Amino acid sequence: MAFMEKPPAGKVLLDDTVPLTAAIEASQSLQSHTIVRRYSDFDLLNNSLQIAGLSLPLPPKKLIGNMDREFIAERQKGLQNYLNVITTNHILSNCELVKKFLDPNNYSANYTEIALQQVSMFFRSEPKWEVVEPLKDIGWRIRKKYFLMKIKNQPKERLVLSWADLGPDKYLSDKDFQCLIKLLPSCLHPYIYRVTFATANESSALLIRMFNDKGTLKDLIYKAKPKDPFLKKYCNPKKIQGLELQQIKTYGRQILEVLKFLHDKGFPYGHLHASNVMLDGDTCRLLDLENSLLGLPSFYRSYFSQFRKINTLESVDVHCFGHLLYEMTYGRPPDSVPVDSFPPAPSMAVVAVLESTLSCEACKNGMPTVSRLLQMPLFSDVLLTTSEKPQFKIPTKLKEALRIAKECIEKRLIEEQKQIYQHRRLTRAQSHHGSEEERKKRKILARKKSKRSAVENSEEHSAKYSNSNNSAGSGASSPLTSPSSPTPPSTAVEHAPF
């Protein structure tokens, strides 16, 4: 087909989930590697982020006295605080607006335009489909775009087309990748949202599903409209309220059942979050199975990459389930992970599952298996009434390709965790050596060493002087010399690097 003719070769190596940080070094800089930003740039960014409904601490404008040294110093401090707030907000830090502001060199492309070009190529050879409208910014991914569709001979039905680039974790060969993408419409499971059509080439993939106007599980929790932009829907919910206990139990059990199904099939997932769970009545159906084939990084990667015991896609799914369960219970994500203490919950059985997936001990020692979670009191007594038989036949050759790709994804995660761990150790050491207490200790130690060296030198000189007198008194024929001057005490001080 004509879909994606002459595409850009290869995958996108940049991991968009890696958090960006920014430090304002000076009020003006001419260094080539420094991004120069004016106050007006911050103002434009802030206006664009108002859709999130957050009160962001951008310093106010000042027309008079804006070149005073004190004002410039205070303005820099205020802008730095503004950047810190944005880059530590999980949703804002991943959005395209912030990425382009902080890293314009890597995020200069018009991703919507690229998606439109590729989708237009597809429709040249598939005339039965028609684009109704683009669904602008309904997802969080920068390189994944959505369009509302219809079939020309069935104009009342609405579908959603998603298009995405390949990501840094795409390790399947082009042939295996395309075969697996085209297998997705054959996957039948009561808790997987069915794919109507799927195709791919060596650089991207396109999938079509039925449009559900009720939205996702996250839309239910946040009382949001599915077509609204991601920032507007989820950044600052007007009403925070968790689900009822029976909903938590039922939805949780359904999600665990489909995770177990995928794990048993050897199909890597790693992309569980509330926006990837479609609601169909009282049934949860998992979305975006293609993400792991595309090599896209997980929504929660910046969380689990901090913990070296969460190093398999199975343990990633369990940890992400903990995030999802927290959101279902309390109506919002946790402020930070690991979670030291949990607010009151509808049942202690809920807290037990949360502790096993989000607590300090769990993150330090590792995640339980999906089978273990299914046996816990919160889910063990849930009766599932579906009669649909799961079906997903993956040829043996493709299963082996999936296994190798899964190992490569996990290897990259482990390497990233190792780097984070080493950086954290170095930062702690530098902070420790640079503390006021450590400086005092080093000064005291240096003085003691200096005194000890002076005493040793003085004793050595006395011994030499004594030996010289003994030799002269015994009539030795050595020439007469005057005693040498005492060696001055050493003033060298050892400085540990800080």
Side-chain angles (χ1 to χ4, degrees):
M1 59 168 40
F3 169 49
M4 304 178 194
E5 292 173 347
K6 298 181 181 179
K11 63 185 180 181
V12 177
L13 297 176
L14 190 65
D15 188 338
D16 296 327
T17 65
V18 174
L20 297 178
T21 59
I24 299 175
E25 295 182 344
S27 58
Q28 185 177 10
S29 175
L30 299 178
Q31 296 176 5
S32 60
H33 66 276
T34 301
I35 299 170
V36 178
R37 290 293 186 190
R38 297 179 175 86
Y39 178 83
S40 57
D41 297 328
F42 284 87
D43 195 35
L44 285 172
L45 173 65
N46 193 63
N47 289 336
S48 300
L49 293 178
Q50 291 306 303
I51 191 173
L54 294 170
S55 179
L56 299 172
L58 182 69
K61 295 179 182 178
K62 185 177 181 181
L63 299 177
I64 300 174
N66 57 10
M67 295 305 292
D68 295 343
R69 183 178 298 178
E70 290 183 5
F71 170 76
I72 290 174
E74 190 65 28
R75 169 57 58 83
Q76 285 183 213
K77 185 178 178 182
L79 292 177
Q80 185 64 62
N81 179 55
Y82 178 78
L83 290 176
N84 293 343
V85 169
I86 290 174
T87 54
T88 53
N89 183 297
H90 183 59
I91 293 179
L92 289 183
S93 64
N94 280 297
C95 80
E96 184 175 348
L97 291 166
V98 173
K99 293 283 188 181
K100 284 193 171 187
F101 182 82
L102 296 178
D103 191 2
N105 293 331
N106 284 317
Y107 293 95
S108 59
N110 186 328
Y111 303 106
T112 302
E113 184 62 32
I114 293 171
L116 280 169
Q117 290 174 1
Q118 302 296 338
V119 171
S120 298
M121 289 181 187
F122 163 70
F123 287 120
R124 290 178 187 175
S125 58
E126 295 289 341
K128 73 172 185 175
W129 307 98
E130 184 178 326
V131 174
V132 176
E133 61 177 324
L135 298 173
K136 192 175 180 182
D137 301 326
I138 66 166
W140 69 276
R141 290 190 186 277
I142 296 172
R143 306 171 200 273
K144 192 167 190 176
K145 301 300 177 182
Y146 299 86
F147 302 86
L148 191 64
M149 310 289 299
K150 69 178 181 180
I151 303 174
K152 288 186 177 179
N153 61 2
Q154 300 175 31
K156 292 186 178 180
E157 284 195 359
R158 290 292 183 266
L159 304 99
V160 175
L161 180 151
S162 65
W163 174 91
D165 269 330
L166 304 182
D169 280 323
K170 190 266 184 181
Y171 296 103
L172 293 163
S173 69
D174 292 342
K175 182 179 178 181
D176 291 339
F177 167 67
Q178 293 179 37
C179 288
L180 282 162
I181 287 288
K182 291 175 181 178
L183 269 182
L184 292 178
S186 68
C187 178
L188 301 176
H189 192 283
Y191 308 125
I192 292 177
Y193 202 69
R194 188 165 183 187
V195 175
T196 303
F197 175 85
T199 188
N201 78 340
E202 66 272 14
S203 66
S204 51
L206 179 154
L207 290 90
I208 298 176
R209 296 176 172 90
M210 295 301 296
F211 176 72
N212 184 344
D213 56 6
K214 292 182 180 179
T216 64
L217 179 56
K218 200 173 184 80
D219 291 327
L220 173 67
I221 296 170
Y222 287 68
K223 311 293 188 294
K225 297 178 181 178
K227 289 185 181 180
D228 282 346
F230 197 86
L231 291 183
K232 181 179 179 180
K233 290 188 288 189
Y234 308 134
C235 235
N236 187 30
K238 295 178 180 178
K239 187 178 181 181
I240 297 175
Q241 184 177 351
L243 303 182
E244 296 178 1
L245 180 59
Q246 191 54 48
Q247 288 177 305
I248 295 171
K249 290 167 67 72
T250 302
Y251 296 161
R253 176 65 187 264
Q254 291 171 351
I255 293 166
L256 289 174
E257 288 289 346
V258 71
L259 289 179
K260 187 175 186 305
F261 172 78
L262 293 173
H263 292 178
D264 291 345
K265 285 286 181 181
F267 191 97
Y269 186 52
H271 294 274
L272 180 62
H273 58 89
S275 291
N276 273 352
V277 179
M278 189 67 77
L279 272 182
D280 188 2
D282 291 328
T283 303
C284 283
R285 302 187 194 274
L286 213 59
L287 283 168
D288 288 5
L289 265 63
E290 70 272 15
N291 282 358
S292 58
L293 306 180
L294 284 156
L296 304 181
S298 170
F299 181 65
Y300 289 121
R301 187 180 182 90
S302 60
Y303 288 91
F304 59 72
S305 61
Q306 308 294 316
F307 309 112
R308 301 180 75 181
K309 288 292 185 178
I310 306 176
N311 53 20
T312 66
L313 287 184
E314 289 84 359
S315 61
V316 164
D317 281 335
V318 171
H319 181 69
C320 292
F321 179 79
H323 283 263
L324 176 57
L325 181 62
Y326 190 103
E327 209 164 359
M328 285 196 292
T329 304
Y330 302 113
R332 59 180 179 83
D335 294 328
S336 62
V337 176
V339 181
D340 295 324
S341 61
F342 297 91
S347 167
M348 287 305 298
V350 176
V351 176
V353 179
L354 290 173
E355 287 177 340
S356 71
T357 54
L358 295 179
S359 68
C360 294
E361 184 179 356
C363 292
K364 182 179 179 180
N365 298 327
M367 297 290 109
T369 62
V370 170
S371 297
R372 174 71 188 96
L373 292 182
L374 283 167
Q375 294 170 359
M376 296 183 75
L378 183 62
F379 307 116
S380 60
D381 62 349
V382 176
L383 297 176
L384 301 178
T385 57
T386 180
S387 59
E388 184 180 348
K389 186 177 179 181
Q391 182 180 337
F392 191 19
K393 293 182 180 179
I394 304 174
T396 304
K397 184 181 176 182
L398 291 180
K399 280 188 176 181
E400 179 62 14
L402 280 173
R403 185 188 66 79
I404 295 172
K406 176 178 176 292
E407 289 179 354
C408 291
I409 293 171
E410 291 169 350
K411 183 178 178 181
R412 187 176 87 87
L413 174 60
I414 291 169
E415 287 298 316
E416 183 178 327
Q417 289 171 332
K418 189 184 297 182
Q419 291 175 8
I420 291 172
Y421 175 74
Q422 290 172 347
H423 175 73
R424 193 182 293 152
R425 284 189 63 185
L426 178 62
T427 302
R428 281 201 301 262
Q430 290 175 337
S431 176
H432 176 70
H433 286 297
S435 66
E436 188 64 30
E437 184 180 352
E438 281 299 305
R439 289 179 185 179
K440 289 179 181 178
K441 286 182 180 178
R442 288 198 296 274
K443 286 181 180 179
I444 294 170
L445 183 63
R447 281 197 291 267
K448 287 181 178 179
K449 188 171 183 180
S450 177
K451 289 178 181 179
R452 187 167 57 248
S453 178
V455 171
E456 289 173 354
N457 287 334
S458 177
E459 290 176 350
E460 183 180 348
H461 172 72
S462 298
K464 287 181 180 179
Y465 185 70
S466 175
N467 290 337
S468 176
N469 287 341
N470 290 339
S471 299
S474 61
S477 60
S478 58
L480 294 174
T481 58
S482 61
S484 59
S485 303
T487 305
S490 171
T491 57
V493 178
E494 284 191 7
H495 293 280
F498 57 87

